[in-house]
Amino acid sequence: MSFSPLIEKLMESLRVLPGVGPKTAQRMAMHLLERDRDGGRRLAAVLEDALERVGYCRRCRTLTEDEVCALCESTRRDDGLLCVVESPADQLAIEEAGGYRGRYFVLHGHLSPLDGIGPEDLGLDALESRVAEEGVEEVILATNPTVEGEATAHYIAAQLTAHGVRLSRLAYGVPMGGELEYVDGGTLSRAFNGRLPFRGD
Amino acid sequence: MSFSPLIEKLMESLRVLPGVGPKTAQRMAMHLLERDRDGGRRLAAVLEDALERVGYCRRCRTLTEDEVCALCESTRRDDGLLCVVESPADQLAIEEAGGYRGRYFVLHGHLSPLDGIGPEDLGLDALESRVAEEGVEEVILATNPTVEGEATAHYIAAQLTAHGVRLSRLAYGVPMGGELEYVDGGTLSRAFNGRLPFRGD
Ligand SMILES: [Zn+2]
Ligand SMILES: [Zn+2]
C-alpha cells in the first residue's frame, strides 16, 4: 500500500526542492493536505506567478519581475564601480554586509566547459559593452573563491583589460573553497575593503 | 536591499512548509528560479491539483482523490477488523509494517476540546454507524500513545461498547509519548500481534 496516485505525485514533485528526501516530502504533503490547504494554495499560485514573471534585469541580470531592478534604478549608487557576482544570493550577501555603494553584474553561474556553459551564457558580451560605454572605473571580480570562480575571474579580466578599466578581486578574507553566499557579513565587509589589484594572467 | 517583491513573496510562501526557515526558503526559491523552473512549474500545478481534488474516502476517511480509496475497494481485506488511526501517515506506517489485513478508519486528529476539536470533527458518528451496521467484530484503537491519543481511544471505546464489539489497543511495544508515524516496522508489527483487550473506563 502507498498513498493515492495524486498524493504520491505531490510527494514526488516536492522532491524538486533542495534537501527534500522521501520522508520530508511525505511530511510536507501531509502538512499541506491535513493542516494548511490555504497556505498550500497560496504557495502554488505564487510559485506559478514567480516562475512566469521573474526574469533577468535588463541592466545587471539579477532576478527581478521588473524590466530594470530597483538597485539599477537607484540614483544613489556609484556608476564608476561594478561588482561582478555569480548569483543573486551572492549580491544579497554583499548588500547585507553593507559598505559597498556601486553597481552589480550577475553572471548566474561560472564558466564550465564540461557543462556547456560559455561566456555568452554568463552575459559577458553585455558586461564588456557596459564597461566600454558607461564610464566604469573599477570592476570588482567577486566570483566565488573556488577553482571555477577563479577561472571565470581570469577570463573576464582578460576580456576587459583592453578597456583600461581597473580590476580588483576580493581580499582573501573569504575562506578558500567556500561559497560567498554563506560568508558572514563582517568577513565579507573586510574582504571588500582589503580588495587587491587583479592581474588577469 | 532585499530580493524583488515577488521573490520575497515566494520565499515567504515557501515557509508554509514544515521545517522551512528563512535561509532554507531563500535556498529553495533560488534553486527553483535559477536551476529548475520546469520542476517548479510541475510542483505548482500538482500542488494546485492535489489541493483541489484530494479529499476524504467516503468509507474510511483517508486522503484520496477517489470517492472510495483503493484499500476500501479491495476485496482481499477482512471486514471484521477495523483499525482506527489518527492520520493517513499512521495508516501507511501500519501497512508498511505488514501483517494487518483488516480495514481502517482515519480520524484526522484526536479529541482536543481546547482547540475546538470534538467527536463530529473526527467522524465518530460515521465510525459508530459502520460498527453498528457492518458486522465489525473487533475495533483496534491505534491512536497515538500520547495523552490525547489515549483520551480519544477511551472516548471511542465508551461510544462503541454498547454495540458489543471487541475493543483492543496496540501493545505497548510502541514508545510512550511518541508518534506512530515514526515507529519502525518491526516494533509496530510486534505491537499489533501483542494487542490487548481495551477497557474504556
Ligand atoms: Zn539590475
Ligand atoms: Zn477508504
Side-chain angles (χ1 to χ4, degrees):
Chain A
M1 182 241 184
S2 52
F3 291 107
S4 73
L6 186 49
I7 298 176
E8 292 284 335
K9 200 170 150 193
L10 173 59
M11 297 191 311
E12 186 202 301
S13 304
L14 283 163
R15 296 193 55 192
V16 301
L17 298 171
V20 174
K23 197 71 195 171
T24 304
Q26 179 185 320
R27 198 157 48 89
M28 287 175 166
M30 288 300 115
H31 177 83
L32 294 174
L33 289 166
E34 292 275 81
R35 284 183 291 278
D36 196 3
R37 293 204 173 209
D38 285 345
R41 275 189 210 99
R42 210 177 319 120
L43 172 57
V46 172
L47 183 53
E48 197 186 354
D49 191 28
L51 291 169
E52 175 72 26
R53 287 171 50 213
V54 171
Y56 289 0
C57 168
R58 195 157 46 86
R59 278 183 60 73
C60 76
R61 296 189 9 128
T62 199
L63 290 170
T64 176
E65 65 271 27
D66 298 316
E67 210 181 330
V68 176
C69 76
L71 199 149
C72 284
E73 288 280 21
S74 169
T75 55
R76 306 208 322 236
R77 310 288 300 214
D78 182 349
D79 287 322
L81 279 174
L82 185 62
C83 178
V84 178
V85 292
E86 290 190 29
S87 74
D90 293 341
Q91 179 188 11
L92 184 71
I94 291 168
E95 284 296 293
E96 284 180 344
Y100 177 66
R101 300 301 301 163
R103 307 285 183 180
Y104 288 93
F105 191 87
V106 181
L107 302 175
H108 297 282
H110 46 245
L111 293 175
S112 183
L114 289 177
D115 301 314
I117 298 171
E120 62 288 354
D121 301 300
L122 306 182
L124 296 191
D125 287 358
L127 174 62
E128 189 173 7
S129 307
R130 182 156 167 189
V131 168
E133 294 159 18
E134 297 187 19
V136 175
E137 290 155 20
E138 177 179 350
V139 173
I140 303 166
L141 299 163
T143 50
N144 281 326
T146 57
V147 173
E148 297 86 357
E150 291 290 336
T152 305
H154 278 268
Y155 185 96
I156 297 172
Q159 185 187 32
L160 298 184
T161 202
H163 300 286
V165 74
R166 199 157 65 247
L167 296 167
S168 61
R169 181 118 176 89
L170 297 192
Y172 282 112
V174 295
M176 285 301 293
E179 310 247 318
L180 273 195
E181 179 179 347
Y182 300 105
V183 175
D184 69 278
T187 306
L188 260 182
S189 214
R190 244 175 298 126
F192 247 88
N193 292 332
R195 66 184 183 269
L196 303 168
F198 188 76
R199 287 174 306 116
D201 53 16
Chain B
M1 184 243 185
S2 52
F3 290 106
S4 71
L6 185 49
I7 298 176
E8 291 284 334
K9 201 171 150 194
L10 174 58
M11 297 191 312
E12 186 202 301
S13 303
L14 283 162
R15 297 193 54 191
V16 302
L17 298 171
V20 174
K23 196 71 195 171
T24 304
Q26 179 186 319
R27 198 156 49 89
M28 288 174 166
M30 287 301 114
H31 177 81
L32 294 174
L33 289 167
E34 293 272 82
R35 283 182 293 276
D36 197 2
R37 293 205 173 209
D38 284 345
R41 276 190 208 98
R42 211 178 318 121
L43 172 57
V46 172
L47 183 53
E48 195 186 355
D49 191 28
L51 291 169
E52 174 72 27
R53 288 169 52 213
V54 171
Y56 289 0
C57 168
R58 196 157 47 83
R59 278 184 60 72
C60 75
R61 294 188 12 125
T62 200
L63 291 170
T64 176
E65 65 271 25
D66 298 316
E67 210 181 330
V68 176
C69 77
L71 198 149
C72 284
E73 289 280 19
S74 169
T75 54
R76 306 206 324 232
R77 309 287 301 212
D78 182 350
D79 288 321
L81 280 174
L82 186 63
C83 179
V84 178
V85 291
E86 291 190 27
S87 73
D90 293 342
Q91 179 188 10
L92 184 72
I94 291 168
E95 284 295 295
E96 285 180 344
Y100 177 66
R101 300 301 302 162
R103 306 285 184 179
Y104 288 93
F105 190 88
V106 181
L107 302 174
H108 297 281
H110 45 244
L111 292 174
S112 182
L114 289 177
D115 303 312
I117 298 171
E120 62 287 353
D121 301 301
L122 306 183
L124 297 191
D125 286 358
L127 174 62
E128 189 172 9
S129 307
R130 181 156 167 190
V131 168
E133 293 159 20
E134 298 186 19
V136 175
E137 288 155 21
E138 178 179 350
V139 172
I140 302 166
L141 299 162
T143 50
N144 281 327
T146 56
V147 174
E148 298 85 358
E150 291 290 336
T152 304
H154 279 268
Y155 185 96
I156 296 171
Q159 185 188 32
L160 298 184
T161 203
H163 300 285
V165 75
R166 198 156 67 248
L167 296 168
S168 61
R169 181 120 176 88
L170 297 192
Y172 281 112
V174 294
M176 286 301 294
E179 311 249 317
L180 273 195
E181 179 179 346
Y182 300 106
V183 175
D184 69 278
T187 307
L188 259 182
S189 216
R190 246 174 296 124
F192 248 89
N193 291 332
R195 65 184 184 270
L196 303 168
F198 188 76
R199 287 173 307 115
D201 53 15

